[in-house]
Amino acid sequence: MEFRPVLNALMRNKTGLLLIVLQVAITLAIVCNSVFIILQRIEKVNRPSGMQEAGLFTVNSLGFAPDFDLAGSLRQDLDALRSIPGVIDATTINSVPLSQGGWSEGLSDQPDSVPQDKRIRESSAIYMVDEHGLNTLGVKLIAGRDFNAGDISPRTKDDKGTLHSVIITQALAEKMFPGGTAVGKTIYSSLGGKNGPVTVVGVVERLQAPWVGWDKVEQTTIVPQYSLGEFDANSARYLIRAEPGRRDEVMKEAERKLGEINTGRIVRGMRSIEEVRGDSYRQDRAMTMVLTTVIFALLAVTGLGIVGMVSFWVTRRIKQIGTRRALGARRFDIRRYFMIENLIVVGIGVAVGLVLTYGFNMWLMKHYELPRLAWYYAPLGALTVLLLGQLAVFGPATRATRVSPAVATRTV
């Protein structure tokens, strides 16, 4: 019943009405899309890597002595690392998961002689490990077998070694061999020579690629090889898995022991996988914090804007409020009037904001490849803004109820 006088009053304050409507609309559009991005980033940061990360750390060795023997050093170092109390296992590895640096390869289910439209081709991250690789990583083997000592071969710049078997992740298996088992199947890539065939002997549940922003981050191939200076002469990288709660203790001992074994090399780059993960996801965490701050700032500014505007309207309507009180209006009626007025204003802003919300999301999808906004974000955001508006107006509306007819009369 009060909508007509409320609307008439609002039409007399078109500038204030327009400002609040725009503020609410922009706030709703930004808040909905920001919350969506934040939850996407949180999900990305917390997704499992497939490894037993808590006990894992990596360390690099770089030989500088003229007579440095990389092959002999690898065997000696791994025996020493595995003998350290608290070490579960250790392996050589060409790149570290989640580290943002590594090697990828194109894989196919058919040789090059088969037309491209008849082949399935997928990209995959490549990890080179020995027969201790899966146990060191702590990945879960869900089909097939692990590598054995006979599978392992050295790889140099001039000799790519002998490669007959690989282990792939479940995500890659589903892409390469949809609807069937991958174990025993053949894949073709330059890993085994020029488009040479290799056999899938096992499938692990999950092992993420080094590049956390890659859209194929779950597609990984584990290769039974170790590098002998293929990429960096006399360098080696070790991955060590310690028992729960003993990682830091083992890291110190590993660095000490490697330094004692061979003085003709530098031991460097010791990092826990926890630290590696933190560095790789730093930008995502920073974005989450920035967007969270923006959300709270926008809501606060919008709330204060509503408080200020309603307070101004109350001041301008002292005589009108006093007259209504003199005619028998209760305090409840005065408060309800301003809350209904605010509900209409914020409601108009929400309606405009819903259009802006989906428009902004479409722009983000086009320019930043974000997924489509889930349907429930907009109504939840609208409800939040409407509640914010009612909370913001409650104080000024309550002050309006304290206006007495006598005060209104003295303002005539």
Side-chain angles (χ1 to χ4, degrees):
M1 293 186 298
E2 297 183 359
F3 281 104
R4 174 167 290 185
V6 168
L7 290 174
N8 290 336
L10 288 174
M11 289 301 100
R12 291 194 292 269
N13 298 278
K14 294 179 182 179
T15 302
L17 172 64
L18 181 61
L19 288 174
I20 294 298
V21 166
L22 288 177
Q23 191 171 11
V24 168
I26 294 170
T27 297
L28 178 61
I30 294 177
V31 166
C32 286
N33 283 281
S34 295
V35 170
F36 182 60
I37 294 171
I38 288 171
L39 294 179
Q40 290 279 322
R41 288 292 186 270
I42 291 174
E43 182 181 357
K44 176 183 175 183
V45 170
N46 293 330
R47 63 190 176 187
S49 65
M51 304 180 292
Q52 298 292 329
E53 295 184 29
L56 281 174
F57 66 94
T58 181
V59 62
N60 300 330
S61 167
L62 177 62
F64 61 83
D67 58 347
F68 184 80
D69 177 18
L70 180 58
S73 175
L74 284 174
R75 291 189 295 270
Q76 192 177 19
D77 290 347
L78 287 170
D79 288 341
L81 290 170
R82 291 165 186 159
S83 68
I84 295 175
V87 169
I88 295 176
D89 216 337
T91 185
T92 60
I93 193 166
N94 63 314
S95 61
V96 180
L98 311 179
S99 66
Q100 300 289 66
W103 177 17
S104 66
E105 188 73 34
L107 309 178
S108 177
D109 68 332
Q110 301 289 338
D112 284 345
S113 57
V114 177
Q116 290 188 5
D117 59 345
K118 303 294 184 181
R119 290 183 283 154
I120 296 176
R121 185 170 178 83
E122 289 291 337
S123 297
S124 171
I126 304 298
Y127 293 120
M128 296 180 183
V129 300
D130 62 14
E131 68 272 24
H132 295 260
L134 264 61
N135 189 46
T136 303
L137 288 162
V139 294
K140 182 180 179 181
L141 186 69
I142 59 175
R145 66 170 178 86
D146 196 353
F147 297 133
N148 55 50
D151 295 318
I152 313 302
S153 65
R155 184 183 180 99
T156 67
K157 184 178 296 185
D158 300 320
D159 182 4
K160 304 307 179 185
T162 303
L163 181 63
H164 299 294
S165 59
V166 294
I167 294 174
I168 63 178
T169 56
Q170 185 177 15
L172 182 58
E174 291 172 352
K175 288 290 187 68
M176 293 292 295
F177 309 103
T181 179
V183 176
K185 299 291 179 63
T186 302
I187 59 176
Y188 297 82
S189 75
S190 59
L191 290 170
K194 187 176 181 181
N195 202 37
V198 292
T199 302
V200 178
V201 298
V203 177
V204 296
E205 183 178 37
R206 178 180 284 109
L207 178 60
Q208 287 188 351
W211 313 282
V212 298
W214 193 30
D215 61 350
K216 302 181 187 295
V217 69
E218 301 287 346
Q219 296 184 192
T220 298
T221 300
I222 307 171
V223 177
Q225 288 188 316
Y226 58 92
S227 175
L228 290 179
E230 180 183 9
F231 305 107
D232 191 357
N234 292 337
S235 69
R237 178 181 287 113
Y238 302 112
L239 185 69
I240 303 98
R241 181 182 170 199
E243 295 174 356
R246 303 189 67 180
R247 185 195 65 196
D248 294 345
E249 165 196 344
V250 169
M251 288 177 72
K252 294 178 182 178
E253 181 61 18
E255 185 175 27
R256 186 192 67 79
K257 182 159 286 192
L258 289 176
E260 287 182 352
I261 290 173
N262 194 327
T263 57
R265 51 101 175 270
I266 299 171
V267 179
R268 62 182 184 179
M270 182 167 286
R271 302 174 73 201
S272 67
I273 295 300
E274 182 181 11
E275 182 181 355
V276 172
R277 171 182 276 275
D279 289 343
S280 296
Y281 285 112
R282 180 176 288 114
Q283 289 186 349
D284 295 289
R285 290 193 174 95
M287 179 178 287
T288 299
M289 293 178 63
V290 169
L291 290 178
T292 301
T293 303
V294 168
I295 288 172
F296 281 106
L298 276 174
L299 291 175
V301 169
T302 301
L304 290 174
I306 293 172
V307 169
M309 188 58 65
V310 176
S311 297
F312 173 72
W313 287 343
V314 168
T315 303
R316 290 191 61 183
R317 298 173 187 172
I318 290 292
K319 182 179 179 180
Q320 176 187 343
I321 296 169
T323 302
R324 291 195 62 191
R325 289 295 309 281
L327 294 174
R330 298 167 298 174
R331 292 190 174 189
F332 171 80
D333 298 322
I334 301 299
R335 184 186 290 113
R336 183 181 62 177
Y337 175 88
F338 283 102
M339 297 191 77
I340 289 175
E341 183 179 65
N342 179 260
L343 185 64
I344 294 173
V345 173
V346 176
I348 297 172
V350 165
V352 177
L354 290 174
V355 177
L356 290 180
T357 296
Y358 288 107
F360 188 28
N361 179 243
M362 291 177 65
W363 182 82
L364 291 172
M365 289 171 59
K366 180 179 179 180
H367 295 278
Y368 296 97
E369 299 182 356
L370 260 67
R372 185 180 299 277
L373 186 72
W375 68 268
Y376 50 83
Y377 280 88
L380 287 176
L383 180 61
T384 300
V385 173
L386 287 171
L387 290 175
L388 173 67
Q390 292 298 287
L391 288 173
V393 77
F394 188 81
T398 299
R399 287 196 298 273
T401 65
R402 301 192 186 107
V403 176
S404 66
V407 172
T409 302
R410 286 198 296 270
T411 63
V412 176

